[in-house]
Amino acid sequence: MKSVKLIFLFCLFCIFSFQVVFGQRNSIPEKVEKLLKKMTLAEKIGQLNQYSGNWEATGPITTNVGNKLDAVKRGEVGSILNIYGVEHTTVFQQAAMQSRLKIPLLFGQDVIHGFSITFPVPLAEAASWDMKAIEKSARVAATEAAASGVHWTFAPMVDIARDPRWGRVMEGAGEDPYLGSLIATARVHGFQGMGLGNLDAVMACAKHFTGYGDVIGGREYNSVDMSLHTLWEVYLPPFKAALDAGAATFMNSFNDLNGVPATGNKYLQRDILKGKWGFKGFVVSDWGSIGEMINHGYVKDSYEAAQVAINAGNDMDMESDSYLKNLAKLVADKKVSERVIDEAVRRILTKKYELGLFSDPYRYSDADREKRILNRKEHVEAARDVAKKSIVLLKNEHQVLPLSKNLNSIAIIGPMAKVKQELKGTWSLNVGNVNDIVSVYEGIQQQVGKTKLLYAKGCDVTDTSRAGFAEAYKIASQADVVVMAMGEQFDWTGEAKSRSNIHLPAIQEDLIKAVIATGKPLVVLLMAGRPMVFNYTADHAPAILYTWWLGNQAGNAIADVLFGNYNPAGKLPITFPRSEGQIPIYYNYFNTGRPAHDDVQTNYPPSYIDLSNTPRFAFGHGLSYTTFNYTNLQINKKNMKKKETITVTFNITNTGKYAGEEVAQFYLRQMVAQPLRPVKELKGFEKVMLEPNETKTITFTINSDKLSFYNEQLEKITQAGEFSLMVGSASDDIRLQDNFTLVD
Ligand code: BGC
């Protein structure tokens, strides 16, 4: 009897809990509807309007709104960007609480790679191929940002980029849709944590929807002219992954796609995103991009711009004022239905409810919490961890690396050896103390005991003076080993930072040449937010580490790798060209009818007559201090039916003397298909840790999803036929190969 009673009580408890949890959740739509009914049209339009706060602007200010706090009080603003710090966000939220309906504001911010502790730029993190570390980076950024009053980050940028001239290549995950999709997922999970409503979660924003990474000529903001097939195969997958991971918001983009600006693109926003994909969050425009449709020549004025944007599915207007100024008249003129406006408002209010802002508009405004959470020790440790994992060992002849900690002396040379602020890269925030950033020099200093450090700057980043060469040569000659810290100017990547010339500045290659002449063992560190061209260095420097912009812990992470405390395992997430003339260059291209010969001498089309077709460093390339052997590839069947799977196994053995990680890469190619399939496509990888002489067996499973692609009607299909499967250490270093057939 007692147990029956207990079961009864337990059931009551379950019903009660279910109602508390799900009843609450289910009630959000009801609450939204109730509020919507109370709102005037003007108040609804206010929710669709986003202004930049009074300080840092991340785009051209074209609006003239006077005191923004007053606009908030009038209910004309749904969100503010570029305001962070509890002290500042609170002032704006207080203003919102003076509006008629007291609808809380959303605070948005570009939290791209860290908040107070700056993490490596996203392209660098992508080189880690380490989803846990990438998720952790976003988690830390979100925790700090949320503590500082931010509800919403305009990240991750999930634009695929095959063109390193484009400055924003640094903000994404590189060129590959598979890797890009996994990273999009990791970042969204990281930002949103256990879900909106938790105090350490910020809304993610998958951007820029879409095509932006393929601007013609790599020129910022340019047009995008892309087949829909390429759009679906290459550019959309990371967005779909972000959506599936629960991204609360999307941002559209500045570019036009095949003649239709993304901001006013109904096919992208209504048909694909909100239609086919069923996206429930809201879409924000890019900065001013609604108004910019006038410049595109797509609409004649801001009245038409607002009409096109809202009807195409753009919910919130970032900084163009087009909605605030025109939507009421557009409704009166019956050009925009109030239903369309309601739908946009509903989406935005839903997120505000989910964030818990209606229960407590100040829940992200706790100054003590902000103090407690920013710059925590574990945040610094996470930054160092992902930074060392992001470093790519491009070359290591004569095992120059790792360096011994017992050297008599090291010469540290180069314009990047002592920089600090620059190590943060662009799209970093003005939070945190510059003295907390660890320079290369300091990082090395902290890890050597009695070793004497000699320093010479040698040259500037771009200034052509050679006045410092002699000193650099002198200290290099005196040292056991030379470490040269070179690179691009830190702000040569980022928004509006496209470059036609992506060479390491000539003065720096000249300095490297001069120092190589000493014959000393030499390591070149290359810092940049994009792939650079550095042919002299690639041919002549014995060891090269690509260190990107690694953030606060750059110096420590670099020293960890230099001295072998950490054995580098990074792999390039993007192809490095030999010259700008090869761009766009990527590994997953189609074969031509006259496949290219690598031998320039044969001069046989369609190779260049003056350059090899091969890249300088291929997608997936990255060395280790140890070596790995791939053996014993086995597949459990040679014929696969659509609903079946194939299991692929192989062994990796660490054949060197250092413990280390290898990113084993798994590629597929369908040999004959219509339309064409790429010569190679990444379909899986595993990062595996091996002690010297240790062997591990890796397993990949092939299912029909991995074999599917879009046909000419843009339907996802599989086609029966032969597949080649390739396993290797890089896209150009395939170690094992076999084939199988997909049968009808
Ligand atoms: C960028 C966006 C960014 C926005 C807000 C725009 O210029 O393209 O990526 O989120 O500014 O700062």
Side-chain angles (χ1 to χ4, degrees), residues 58-59 81-82 110 154 168 171 207-208 212 251 254 286-287 318 427 495:
T58 43
L81 77 149
N82 292 335
D110 292 282
F154 304 124
R168 300 195 83 166
E171 265 184 81
K207 70 187 190 185
H208 307 84
Y212 191 24
M251 183 187 291
F254 290 127
D286 203 344
W287 180 294
M318 182 191 287
W427 279 124
E495 185 176 347

Side-chain angles (χ1 to χ4, degrees), residues 464-539:
T464 51
S465 165
R466 293 165 171 258
F469 277 32
E471 176 66 9
Y473 185 88
K474 189 173 125 206
I475 66 156
S477 311
Q478 291 164 359
D480 293 345
V481 166
V482 184
V483 175
M484 300 190 73
M486 321 300 278
E488 273 196 347
Q489 202 152 285
F490 86 98
D491 58 359
W492 279 359
T493 48
E495 185 176 347
K497 300 291 156 93
S498 292
R499 286 179 58 82
S500 63
N501 173 355
I502 59 165
H503 277 63
L504 177 65
I507 185 72
Q508 295 191 48
E509 283 226 294
D510 287 353
L511 178 65
I512 292 170
K513 193 171 183 177
V515 175
I516 284 178
T518 60
K520 289 297 169 102
L522 177 140
V523 184
V524 176
L525 311 174
L526 291 175
M527 299 185 192
R530 60 155 61 84
M532 291 187 292
V533 172
F534 45 94
N535 289 317
Y536 178 84
T537 306
D539 286 333

Side-chain angles (χ1 to χ4, degrees), residues 590-608:
F590 296 146
N591 233 0
T592 68
R594 297 182 177 186
H597 290 251
D598 289 342
D599 179 2
V600 187
Q601 302 309 321
T602 61
N603 190 14
Y604 185 78
S607 302
Y608 297 107

Side-chain angles (χ1 to χ4, degrees), residues 412-419 439-442 455-456 483 485-486 527:
I412 305 174
I413 296 171
M416 301 302 179
K418 289 201 169 176
V419 298
S439 72
V440 171
Y441 186 91
E442 290 165 341
Y455 165 74
V483 175
M486 321 300 278
M527 299 185 192

